[in-house]
Amino acid sequence: MSDTPSRGYPNGGPARIHDPLKRSIDPALDRARQRATFDIERPSTIGLEEELMLLDPVTLDLAPCAAQSLAAMDADARFKLELVTAQLESVTSPKRTVARGGVCPERRAA
């Protein structure tokens, strides 16, 4: 009999995942838990995002005024700052369906 572990596993058994907390995790159990997460029956949802580039009204160049624009919206939760200072992100809360034309009623009012 060889001293080499079968298929790279010690003692020919299933592999154990390294855990820095020194717990032994059986990959089969981990896969079962992951599978159970995706097997749960629940309705799908979708959220929409739009990236809004802010332009100078005269030159149409990008205008680095995202923070000022957001402040003028009185903390409207539908809008968020982006990394680029001339850009805002518009988001919707999760919905069960996409409204006609891809625009939710709450966005039509904005």
Side-chain angles (χ1 to χ4, degrees):
M1 185 166 243
S2 170
D3 290 334
T4 306
S6 173
R7 296 187 181 169
Y9 300 129
N11 303 323
R16 295 288 193 212
I17 298 172
H18 171 72
D19 183 351
L21 298 177
K22 305 298 182 205
R23 297 173 295 185
S24 181
I25 301 170
D26 183 345
L29 292 177
D30 192 48
R31 282 191 296 273
R33 277 188 234 119
Q34 291 173 5
R35 187 65 181 166
T37 299
F38 288 99
D39 285 343
I40 294 172
E41 295 279 335
R42 61 178 160 238
S44 298
T45 59
I46 187 167
L48 302 176
E49 293 184 0
E50 288 182 289
E51 307 301 323
L52 308 171
M53 302 308 292
L54 305 173
L55 305 178
D56 180 285
V58 176
T59 65
L60 299 181
D61 288 336
L62 291 174
C65 60
Q68 298 91 328
S69 298
L70 190 60
M73 290 185 233
D74 294 325
D76 188 329
R78 295 175 297 169
F79 298 94
K80 300 179 187 225
L81 287 175
E82 282 289 316
L83 183 61
V84 179
T85 60
Q87 182 176 352
L88 287 175
E89 179 179 80
S90 171
V91 298
T92 64
S93 57
K95 305 287 183 200
R96 290 251 178 118
T97 62
V98 177
R100 191 172 136 185
V103 180
C104 294
E106 67 191 40
R107 309 245 317 193
R108 290 188 188 119

